[in-house]
Amino acid sequence: MSSNSPDERSLVLIKPDAVRRGLVGEVLSRFERKGLRIDAMAHRTMDAALADEHYAEHVDKAFYPPLKDFMTSGPLVALVLSGDQVIDVVRGLVGATDGRKAAAGTIRGDLSLSNRENLVHASDSTDSAKREIALWFPELG
Ligand code: CMP
């Protein structure tokens, strides 16, 4: 990306396990200390319809029903982050899906022992970021 390009955006969810465990500040501070900007932030509870849309690529997978139960089980914090190469940068900060295998130093590696209750969702490409931001923050479109 050239220095003249507008910064990328990523849709991040601080999941219900992080809210229940009092880790919202810890997770947010890692993004802030990295130098990323918070363009939007909302405390919301995902309903079943939003879960099916957000996780459209996973709805047929065996892990989806318990994932949906978990993601709709309580409030979460939805964020739009921006910054240079934010999608890859955030995925690096978050770590591998399975918290048991994620590298130490990452959010999941330091704070999660689960491949479902893994604290954070982050967009995995510019296309998914666009789609997810439109779902969660249509006013930013
Ligand atoms: P996320 O980044 O939100 O994208 C899909 C989510 O599904 C993932 O984080 C995990 O919470 C969950 N997930 C992915 N793979 C598995 C799995 N094998 N078993 C249980 N949950 C999973």
Side-chain angles (χ1 to χ4, degrees):
M1 183 178 287
S2 88
S3 56
N4 292 326
S5 308
D7 281 340
E8 280 183 355
R9 281 176 158 170
S10 180
L11 186 281
V12 171
L13 303 176
I14 304 179
K15 296 184 179 187
D17 55 332
V19 174
R20 278 194 282 273
R21 292 174 58 196
L23 293 173
V24 173
E26 164 79 32
V27 172
L28 266 181
S29 77
R30 291 185 182 217
F31 297 138
E32 283 195 299
R33 283 183 290 161
K34 185 68 176 174
L36 301 173
R37 285 187 306 279
I38 301 171
D39 289 352
M41 177 158 64
H43 184 259
R44 282 185 53 184
T45 301
M46 213 181 201
D47 64 19
L50 181 55
D52 291 348
E53 283 197 88
H54 177 87
Y55 283 126
E57 66 180 302
H58 296 311
V59 288
D60 296 325
K61 296 190 178 146
F63 66 73
Y64 184 65
L67 173 65
K68 181 175 176 175
D69 286 347
F70 161 56
M71 290 299 295
T72 58
S73 67
L76 53 74
V77 177
L79 306 170
V80 175
L81 297 179
S82 65
D84 191 18
Q85 298 187 27
V86 64
I87 291 170
D88 283 348
V89 167
V90 169
R91 287 171 68 75
L93 292 173
V94 168
T97 301
D98 188 334
R100 295 164 297 194
K101 298 183 180 138
T106 65
I107 293 169
R108 289 168 174 162
D110 288 349
L111 302 167
S112 167
L113 258 181
S114 169
N115 65 349
R116 177 180 306 120
E117 302 204 6
N118 60 2
L119 303 167
V120 179
H121 164 84
S123 303
D124 64 5
S125 66
T126 50
D127 283 350
S128 13
K130 255 190 161 160
R131 190 183 72 79
E132 293 169 2
I133 290 168
L135 270 181
W136 287 87
F137 296 98
E139 67 276 15
L140 290 187

